[in-house]
């Protein structure tokens, strides 16, 4: 299809979820944020590791267990070095793992803010009439697909819905995807051939 433009969107969350914990200094339920620092404690051959969180109001600390009472020989040396060195990528991975965090504390705050890096996969055709968006996600994000597309393409959610109803917008293998969070590997095709502002939309998509 000569008017087809393929673009990859690499999506990453910007704000880590925050556990809601009863702060013994503030005297009530407060959100805590990741400090990006680990605490590692050795007791003989047993190792404990936590990611340190801080109360957003008073800076009181709370330790989120990565593992406890783990035998040193069962820990990869590279992992132990990363914990002891406060590796930023490792701290980010644990801080953004909403499912594990929720299983520990029950209630968390989540944020829909994301960063989107755009990569044109093929040379742009002279007249683009169709977008093929491929999504890659660093990790799950608490953001509906229609809100993501509306914000990044500069169109309304009602317009997206109208496109979907007219089959101008199709999401591979999921007919109700607009109402759900995006998934890693998701493919979205949008027919812009009859849209007067298609060049503006294509530019917003990243071309």
């Amino acid at each position: 299809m000569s008017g087809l433009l393929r673009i990859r969107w690499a999506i990453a969350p910007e704000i880590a979820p925050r556990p809601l914990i009863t702060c013994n200094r503030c005297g009530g339920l407060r959100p805590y944020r990741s400090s990006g620092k680990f605490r590692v404690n050795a007791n003989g051959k047993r190792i404990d590791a936590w990611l340190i969180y801080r109360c957003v109001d008073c800076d009181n600390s709370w330790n989120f267990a990565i593992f406890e009472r783990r035998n040193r020989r069962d820990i990869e040396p590279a992992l132990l070095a990363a914990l002891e060195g406060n590796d930023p990528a490792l701290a980010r991975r644990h801080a953004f793992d909403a499912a594990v965090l929720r299983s520990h504390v029950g209630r968390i705050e989540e944020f829909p803010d994301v960063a989107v890096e755009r990569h044109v996969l093929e040379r742009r055709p002279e007249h683009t009439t169709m977008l093929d968006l491929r999504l890659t996600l660093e990790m799950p994000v608490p953001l509906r697909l229609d809100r993501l597309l509306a914000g990044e393409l500069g169109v309304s959610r009602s317009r997206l819905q109208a496109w979907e109803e007219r089959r101008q917008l199709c999401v591979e293998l999921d007919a109700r995807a607009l109402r759900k969070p995006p998934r890693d590997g998701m493919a979205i095709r949008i027919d812009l051939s009859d849209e007067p502002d298609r060049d503006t939309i294509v530019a917003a998509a990243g071309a």
Side-chain angles (χ1 to χ4, degrees):
M1 187 179 299
S2 60
L4 179 65
L5 177 64
R6 293 185 172 90
I7 302 175
R8 183 175 70 248
W9 284 4
I11 301 166
E14 291 191 303
I15 303 175
R18 302 192 303 192
L20 298 173
I21 299 167
T22 300
C23 178
N24 55 22
R25 286 186 186 173
C26 296
L29 203 64
R30 296 289 187 274
Y32 277 60
R33 60 174 176 266
S34 170
S35 69
K37 306 294 184 183
F38 294 101
R39 177 186 170 195
V40 180
N41 182 57
N43 185 2
K45 295 182 179 180
R46 300 289 177 179
I47 304 290
D48 302 307
W50 302 273
L51 179 61
I52 302 171
Y53 279 74
R54 298 283 183 182
C55 174
V56 299
D57 291 334
C58 74
D59 213 38
N60 189 35
S61 67
W62 172 74
N63 293 332
F64 171 42
I66 306 301
F67 53 75
E68 294 178 302
R69 308 294 294 164
R70 181 81 61 84
N71 194 299
R72 179 183 288 271
R73 68 169 178 268
D74 295 330
I75 306 172
E76 290 287 339
L79 173 58
L80 187 56
L83 290 165
E84 292 175 336
N86 293 315
D87 179 74
L90 183 62
R92 176 178 171 83
R93 179 161 63 84
H94 284 289
F96 279 87
D97 194 335
V100 173
L101 190 59
R102 187 182 289 108
S103 72
H104 275 66
V105 300
R107 294 179 59 190
I108 64 174
E109 288 182 339
E110 293 187 88
F111 303 90
D113 308 68
V114 297
V116 180
E117 290 188 8
R118 296 155 165 82
H119 306 273
V120 176
L121 300 179
E122 298 173 356
R123 183 177 178 179
R124 178 178 176 177
E126 185 177 351
H127 300 291
T128 299
T129 57
M130 183 84 68
L131 284 177
D132 186 301
L133 303 176
R134 302 292 169 135
L135 309 187
T136 61
L137 273 70
E138 178 188 4
M139 56 193 71
V141 295
L143 174 67
R144 280 176 37 152
L145 179 61
D146 59 354
R147 292 185 181 277
L148 172 69
L149 292 175
E152 298 301 324
L153 296 178
V155 300
S156 67
R157 287 192 291 152
S158 60
R159 190 175 181 187
L160 291 170
Q161 185 176 351
W163 286 349
E164 183 184 43
E165 291 170 354
R166 294 196 298 264
R167 298 184 178 273
Q168 287 179 249
L169 186 154
C170 298
V171 181
E172 189 176 273
L173 303 178
D174 195 337
R176 295 181 58 83
L178 286 180
R179 299 154 186 81
K180 304 174 186 176
R183 301 192 313 274
D184 185 49
M186 180 174 276
I188 304 158
R189 185 161 290 194
I190 306 174
D191 182 355
L192 299 172
S193 56
D194 294 328
E195 303 301 314
D197 58 344
R198 64 175 175 268
D199 288 341
T200 300
I201 297 171
V202 169

